[in-house]
Amino acid sequence: MEVARTRDALRAAGHRWREAGEKIAFVPTMGNLHAGHLSLVTAAAAEAPRVVVSIFVNPLQFAPGEDFDTYPRTLDADLEALSGIGVDVVFAPAVAEMYPTGPDPATRVRMTGLSDILCGRSRPGHFDGVTTVVAKLFNIVQPDSAIFGEKDYQQLAIIRRMVADLCFPVTVIGHPTQREADGLAMSSRNQYLTADERLLAPELHRTLEAAAAAVSASPEAEIAGRIVAIQQAAMDNLARFGFEPEYVEIRDAGTLAVPGEESRQLVILAAGRLGAARLIDNLRVDLI
Ligand code: PAF
């Protein structure tokens, strides 16, 4: 496994593979890898003979006052975790390598609509940072496919839309959320939880399960009318367990719009703070 620190080193490897007709699967990460990330790598290795993983804590997707400075950077442990599981190159650039014209680039990728709802409402500019860095990474890595976790459901929808809008020749693959035994979605930010908060954290997933059960149990004609009440009950439940809930929203799973009569595939998305950790999760509900 090679570690590339520069765009040129990464491109040289990509050039060799393309010359040999080998396809490239890409897993973008911010490091501090856990079993959820490693499952993305396993999916990538099943997708293509060459696998690139990037490790880059992207300053552009953190708002002032967010955890950019304290975000856990664990490169040595990450490289150890990635060795021997089918990764060809780890791309671990410095900030100046990714933003050669300075940390406030004039050219950015900004998506309207999808980037402004749900997490975009409480983290203005966050998804602009994500789309900008992912577009740059796609230009540098030039992968045939890229694997993203479904835990970041809105991010995945945004990346799919960006790829379609900007005609990137990349197949975007969503990978199921990996969970701890008690249901908590794996996330690097779980380590911000105290021991007591960690015991409460799975309530986020349980709340989504209860909301999903309430949607499924509703007669079809009544679902639209019950959505607000189900969302509110979920928010109240999170508050009861010590969360500061940000939102619980039932949306169309494809468009993330408020579901219409014709929506058969729904997703329930939630975000909330528990102590110092901002946690997100989601659950699909398919109406039969
Ligand atoms: O999901 C993440 O870890 C990041 O948002 C990503 C896609 C690596 C972009 O920095």
Side-chain angles (χ1 to χ4, degrees):
M1 185 176 82
E2 185 189 336
V3 180
R5 297 291 197 159
T6 63
R7 304 187 300 271
D8 285 351
L10 196 274
R11 282 190 174 125
H15 184 70
R16 285 196 307 273
W17 300 332
R18 271 183 291 279
E19 290 270 284
E22 293 174 321
K23 294 212 180 294
I24 304 168
F26 176 43
V27 181
T29 81
M30 297 206 300
N32 195 239
L33 304 179
H34 50 66
H37 294 110
L38 301 185
S39 76
L40 301 180
V41 174
T42 306
E47 198 57 37
R50 295 297 180 180
V51 174
V52 174
V53 175
S54 65
I55 296 180
F56 180 63
V57 184
N58 172 35
L60 224 59
Q61 69 189 74
F62 291 78
E66 289 191 343
D67 56 345
F68 173 69
D69 290 332
T70 53
Y71 197 86
R73 289 157 172 86
T74 52
L75 185 62
D76 290 345
D78 292 345
L79 294 179
E80 205 174 310
L82 291 173
S83 67
I85 61 166
V87 178
D88 292 279
V89 176
V90 177
F91 181 46
V95 171
E97 186 67 18
M98 282 303 289
Y99 294 105
T101 56
D104 186 17
T107 307
R108 296 168 187 234
V109 178
R110 158 132 187 82
M111 185 176 297
T112 54
L114 263 185
S115 279
D116 301 323
I117 58 173
L118 303 167
C119 288
R121 244 188 344 235
S122 45
R123 303 185 72 190
H126 165 68
F127 288 118
D128 301 349
V130 172
T131 44
T132 300
V133 82
V134 172
K136 289 162 75 81
L137 288 166
F138 281 0
N139 281 334
I140 296 165
V141 178
Q142 299 189 12
D144 297 281
S145 55
I147 327 290
F148 291 83
E150 288 174 354
K151 184 184 79 84
D152 297 293
Y153 195 93
Q154 185 178 7
Q155 170 174 278
L156 175 59
I158 286 170
I159 299 297
R160 286 191 198 285
R161 183 62 196 261
M162 178 186 79
V163 161
D165 283 347
L166 299 185
C167 306
F168 277 107
V170 178
T171 303
V172 175
I173 298 169
H175 190 70
T177 303
Q178 303 297 297
R179 298 185 181 279
E180 305 290 354
D182 57 10
L184 177 65
M186 290 184 184
S187 165
S188 299
R189 289 190 168 103
N190 290 350
Q191 62 194 263
Y192 297 160
L193 297 166
T194 64
D196 286 347
E197 289 161 357
R198 175 63 190 80
L199 293 174
L200 294 170
E203 200 54 40
L204 183 57
H205 180 55
R206 286 186 209 120
T207 299
L208 289 173
E209 287 185 317
V215 170
S216 298
S218 302
E220 201 179 317
E222 290 174 22
I223 289 178
R226 296 208 55 213
I227 278 180
V228 172
I230 294 170
Q231 291 175 170
Q232 190 56 52
M235 295 278 283
D236 293 346
N237 193 56
L238 289 176
R240 207 166 23 252
F241 281 89
F243 283 77
E244 281 173 54
E246 229 170 64
Y247 65 79
V248 178
E249 298 264 353
I250 301 170
R251 296 291 175 115
D252 181 281
T255 62
L256 290 187
V258 173
E261 301 262 296
E262 69 298 342
S263 301
R264 314 304 307 153
Q265 275 90 41
L266 306 181
V267 60
I268 311 177
L269 307 108
R273 286 191 177 278
L274 189 57
R278 181 178 182 277
L279 303 179
I280 61 172
D281 202 350
N282 65 80
L283 202 58
R284 288 281 307 260
V285 190
D286 292 338
L287 303 177
I288 36 166

